[in-house]
Amino acid sequence: SNNANVNTSKTALATPSTERKHVHAVYDAIATQWHHTRGKRGVLWPGATQFLQKLPQGSVVADVGCGDGKYFPAIWEAGSYVIGTDISRPLLKTSVGASASHTAPDNRRVSEHRHQLRDRPAIAVADCMSVPLRTKSCDAAICIAVMHHLSTESRRLRCIEELARIVKVGGHINIQAWAMDQEAHSKRK
């Protein structure tokens, strides 16, 4: 029956204990430290910022797995709007007002005329398996450094399905993940 398929599908996509323990719990525990060290360095992946800068002004962008919102300023400064989701409430809390600090790196600062966006970003605690946005409600979506935290192929595929679901026909999706294989001169090797 259909109900059996739905239940099997839900079971297959349920968050494995390994992710809860080694991803969710870790990010919840280190959220403030992460934001004050890694987040405040201002390192943005060039492919992601180039993608955001090419979007038409006024675009609605879903940042799925947004963490501390490090891409929010790049989205706002490109003239777009962002709705950020992440599984970690503590990380999301660090995104509120983060770009207001005078100590924030230049690429994490927001122009004064956009302060209302900076001071109260549109964020929600959510699992990327079930993004709480309407179907075809966004012009674009980004999912940066999330896929390598999903422990099964079916969960990675489900996340991609969710991104495709929330983005309008003709919209754009940018997915980036860490790679085990790096170029010979990479700092990440």
Side-chain angles (χ1 to χ4, degrees), residues 105 128 130 148 172:
C128 62
S130 182
H148 55 271
H172 302 281

Side-chain angles (χ1 to χ4, degrees), residues 108-173:
R108 292 215 54 183
R109 291 195 190 143
V110 178
S111 304
E112 198 51 43
H113 69 282
R114 293 188 171 94
H115 71 88
Q116 72 281 7
L117 299 170
R118 169 196 72 206
D119 295 342
R120 196 142 169 103
I123 54 176
V125 176
D127 190 330
C128 62
M129 299 295 104
S130 182
V131 179
L133 297 173
R134 287 188 326 222
T135 298
K136 300 184 184 352
S137 61
C138 299
D139 299 299
I142 61 172
C143 188
I144 311 301
V146 173
M147 291 295 166
H148 55 271
H149 292 113
L150 304 176
S151 61
T152 66
E153 182 178 343
S154 61
R155 289 177 55 74
R156 291 187 288 272
L157 289 171
R158 174 61 184 177
C159 180
I160 293 168
E161 289 170 357
E162 278 295 276
L163 296 170
R165 180 187 64 78
I166 63 174
V167 172
K168 296 174 182 175
V169 172
H172 302 281
I173 299 171

Side-chain angles (χ1 to χ4, degrees), residues 3-159:
N3 287 343
N5 291 338
V6 170
N7 291 337
T8 302
S9 176
K10 285 181 182 178
T11 301
L13 298 176
T15 304
S17 62
T18 186
E19 281 180 42
R20 282 195 307 274
K21 181 178 178 184
H22 298 290
V23 179
H24 302 181
V26 169
Y27 278 103
D28 285 354
I30 68 166
T32 302
Q33 179 187 10
W34 176 266
H35 176 68
H36 286 291
T37 56
R38 300 284 302 260
K40 286 197 173 179
R41 284 191 329 209
V43 176
L44 300 178
W45 294 11
T49 55
Q50 291 165 9
F51 171 82
L52 295 167
Q53 291 165 352
K54 291 178 183 176
L55 295 174
Q57 287 205 355
S59 292
V60 174
V61 181
D63 186 349
V64 176
C66 68
D68 68 351
K70 75 180 192 173
Y71 287 94
F72 292 1
I75 295 167
W76 294 325
E77 289 300 311
S80 294
Y81 300 93
V82 63
I83 303 167
T85 64
D86 200 277
I87 197 74
S88 174
R89 180 182 305 272
L91 263 178
L92 282 172
K93 285 182 178 180
T94 67
S95 74
V96 178
S99 55
S101 169
H102 295 296
T103 61
D106 288 344
N107 65 357
R108 292 215 54 183
R109 291 195 190 143
V110 178
S111 304
E112 198 51 43
H113 69 282
R114 293 188 171 94
H115 71 88
Q116 72 281 7
L117 299 170
R118 169 196 72 206
D119 295 342
R120 196 142 169 103
I123 54 176
V125 176
D127 190 330
C128 62
M129 299 295 104
S130 182
V131 179
L133 297 173
R134 287 188 326 222
T135 298
K136 300 184 184 352
S137 61
C138 299
D139 299 299
I142 61 172
C143 188
I144 311 301
V146 173
M147 291 295 166
H148 55 271
H149 292 113
L150 304 176
S151 61
T152 66
E153 182 178 343
S154 61
R155 289 177 55 74
R156 291 187 288 272
L157 289 171
R158 174 61 184 177
C159 180

